[in-house]
Amino acid sequence: FILLHWPAYIIQFILSGTFLTVQFLVQSVIVLIMGYLFGYVFCKNRSIYLPIILHAYYDCIVDLLAG
């Protein structure tokens, strides 16, 4: 999952004109943890739908908290 998100981070940093190493590392760690969590949920349930729902829920919560 991290490799899927890195291009978006790099494009975001290029467009904003700044490269924040700490932000890049923090986002990478969060994606790593969430990837393990979604993978664990998938392995336990053998269904892709629950990780998709959890990912959508996570995205909504992040959007609401980030403003």
Side-chain angles (χ1 to χ4, degrees):
F1 283 122
I2 292 175
L3 293 178
L4 293 174
H5 288 82
W6 277 353
Y9 297 156
I10 292 170
I11 291 169
Q12 176 186 5
F13 294 140
I14 289 172
L15 293 177
S16 68
T18 59
F19 184 81
L20 303 174
T21 306
V22 174
Q23 182 181 2
F24 180 78
L25 292 174
V26 168
Q27 287 178 340
S28 295
V29 169
I30 291 170
V31 168
L32 180 68
I33 292 169
M34 296 308 292
Y36 279 125
L37 175 68
F38 296 148
Y40 175 78
V41 169
F42 172 75
C43 288
K44 292 299 272 188
N45 293 311
R46 295 291 178 201
S47 173
I48 193 67
Y49 297 114
L50 188 54
I52 290 172
I53 292 168
L54 289 174
H55 193 293
Y57 178 75
Y58 173 77
D59 287 344
C60 287
I61 295 298
V62 168
D63 285 343
L64 289 173
L65 293 178

